[in-house]
């Protein structure tokens, strides 16, 4: 046989073998069908104690330990990973257990009288006296708390919805939970949505972080139909940047929403800080990111865009998420840095070719007149349907300053990878990775 022909035959054989070993071999399968199959696997494997919140002999607050009325240990703190863990986020640990037992809300600005035992009453009381608190709910299952206006969350607070079934909703144009210039906050185990959802630029988020924030963890929540954003983490134009903002958003189930998450700074030179040019890129190259996000183990279902949108002098570690998207996955711009590893991006009704991870210079990039490029390092993200997963100047992207148990998404069938993430995501998700789905051979 001619040597060139032999070489070509060997090359083709090796390529075929590599294709057989990679999850991207499933590119011809329907992404919606893969998603449904993965969700079914999760339903079959989820932790039954967490999923049903069955009564336990240890009592109602069985995940907490007390010294008198003070919360001194909490099992859910063990689930804080990533940047929030490096900040020693503990929420209201050490403070008293405070129980919400009234689903009402009030707005004193329009003459409403305070409602004792309501979520607003207990949160605002702790904000006034500046003390830590661990807030839980003693309400009938599936109770809805409709906020009349935004609820500011103070420092050193946990809002713990474990096994409560509580949903927080409210008007389209206000953020439901607003964390502004606060630190050491944990939001856990709640459902969020807006009463009158429409994709609307005048709307606001379900959870909004702004300003000099640090040590914030948002874990195991269900969020859907939230207004403009689901969770937005930003600094405002003309305001100082935090010295270090360390945030973890993990193990949440986010669905049926348009613009999911902003993570960035309005620090550019044009149009009140929102429009960047090459001079801003030069400056941001030299800056050390001051906002850092771990986005891990989240399940995004039928969401359109911004998973997240990362911009300005920030760093995002996006790992072990399932992103079943409609328009695009993750967009990085304006000198932001992002490490994207072991995620599943599923284009449900996306453009051709689908765009999963991209910046302004990527192949097939949408026109973004107000943005310049960002820096992306990608690792082990399988291409399910031939989508674009771009990498640009990866040497500009640092390694996170922590160890994290990463599920090897790239080495398993796609439906099993989806099931693994889904089994841990949301209010009924497991407290640990499901060993059979995530790590068994």
């Amino acid at each position: 046989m001619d040597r060139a022909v032999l070489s070509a035959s060997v090359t083709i054989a090796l390529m075929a073998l590599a294709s057989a070993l990679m999850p991207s071999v499933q590119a011809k399968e329907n992404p919606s069908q893969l998603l449904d199959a993965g969700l079914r696997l999760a339903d079959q494997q989820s932790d039954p104690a967490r999923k049903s919140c069955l009564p336990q002999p240890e009592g109602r607050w069985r995940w907490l330990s007390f010294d008198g009325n003070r919360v001194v240990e909490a099992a859910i703190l063990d689930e804080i990973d990533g940047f929030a863990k490096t900040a020693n986020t503990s929420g209201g640990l050490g403070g008293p257990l405070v129980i919400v037992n009234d689903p009402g809300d009030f707005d004193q600005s329009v003459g409403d009288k305070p409602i004792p035992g309501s979520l607003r009453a207990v949160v605002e009381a702790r904000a006034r006296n500046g003390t830590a608190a661990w807030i839980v709910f003693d309400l009938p299952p599936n109770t809805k708390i409709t906020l009349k206006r935004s609820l500011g969350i103070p420092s050193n607070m946990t809002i713990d919805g474990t096994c409560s079934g509580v949903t927080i909703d409210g008007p389209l144009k206000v953020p439901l939970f607003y964390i502004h210039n606060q630190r050491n906050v944990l939001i856990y185990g709640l459902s969020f949505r807006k009463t009158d959802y429409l994709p609307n630029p005048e709307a606001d988020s379900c959870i909004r972080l702004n300003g000099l924030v640090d040590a914030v963890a948002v874990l195991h929540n269900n969020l859907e139909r939230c207004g403009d954003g689901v969770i937005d983490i930003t600094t405002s134009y003309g305001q100082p940047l935090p010295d270090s903002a360390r945030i973890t958003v993990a193990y949440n189930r986010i669905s049926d929403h348009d613009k999911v998450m902003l993570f960035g700074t309005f620090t550019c030179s044009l149009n009140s800080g929102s429009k960047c040019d090459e001079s801003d890129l030069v400056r941001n190259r030299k800056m050390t990111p001051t906002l850092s996000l771990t986005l891990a183990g989240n399940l995004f279902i039928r969401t359109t865009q911004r998973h997240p949108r990362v911009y300005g002098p920030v760093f995002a570690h996006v790992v072990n998420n399932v992103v079943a998207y409609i328009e695009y996955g993750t967009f990085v711009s304006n000198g932001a840095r992002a490490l994207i590893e072991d995620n599943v991006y599923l284009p449900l009704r996306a453009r051709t070719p689908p765009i999963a991870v991209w910046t302004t210079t990527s192949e097939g990039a949408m026109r973004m007149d107000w943005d310049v490029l960002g820096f992306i390092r990608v690792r082990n993200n399988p291409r399910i349907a031939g989508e674009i997963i771009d990498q640009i100047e990866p040497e500009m992207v640092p390694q996170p300053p922590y160890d994290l148990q990463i599920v090897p998404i790239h080495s398993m069938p796609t439906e099993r990878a989806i099931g693994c993430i889904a089994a841990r995501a949301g209010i009924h998700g497991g407290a640990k990775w499901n060993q059979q789905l995530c790590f068994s051979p």
Side-chain angles (χ1 to χ4, degrees), residues 363-436:
E363 176 190 355
M366 290 174 267
R367 183 171 178 175
M368 307 293 280
D369 291 334
W370 289 16
D371 293 85
V372 292
L373 68 84
F375 311 117
I376 306 171
R377 178 155 57 107
V378 299
R379 188 160 56 204
N380 295 333
N381 303 279
R383 287 176 169 84
I384 307 303
E387 60 269 28
I388 293 168
I389 299 179
D390 202 4
Q391 176 168 273
I392 184 165
E393 299 192 43
E395 69 279 1
M396 292 291 296
V397 179
Q399 187 67 18
Y402 52 76
D403 293 325
L404 187 68
Q405 184 183 32
I406 297 177
V407 177
I409 291 294
H410 63 283
S411 65
M412 63 180 71
T414 302
E415 61 270 23
R416 183 173 150 193
I418 295 167
C420 164
I421 304 303
R424 193 170 184 185
I427 62 173
H428 298 309
K432 298 180 179 179
W433 293 119
N434 182 288
Q435 291 296 311
Q436 181 173 348

Side-chain angles (χ1 to χ4, degrees), residues 231-245:
I231 303 170
D232 284 343
I233 305 165
T234 62
T235 62
S236 298
Y237 178 65
Q239 298 301 308
L241 296 177
D243 292 332
S244 180

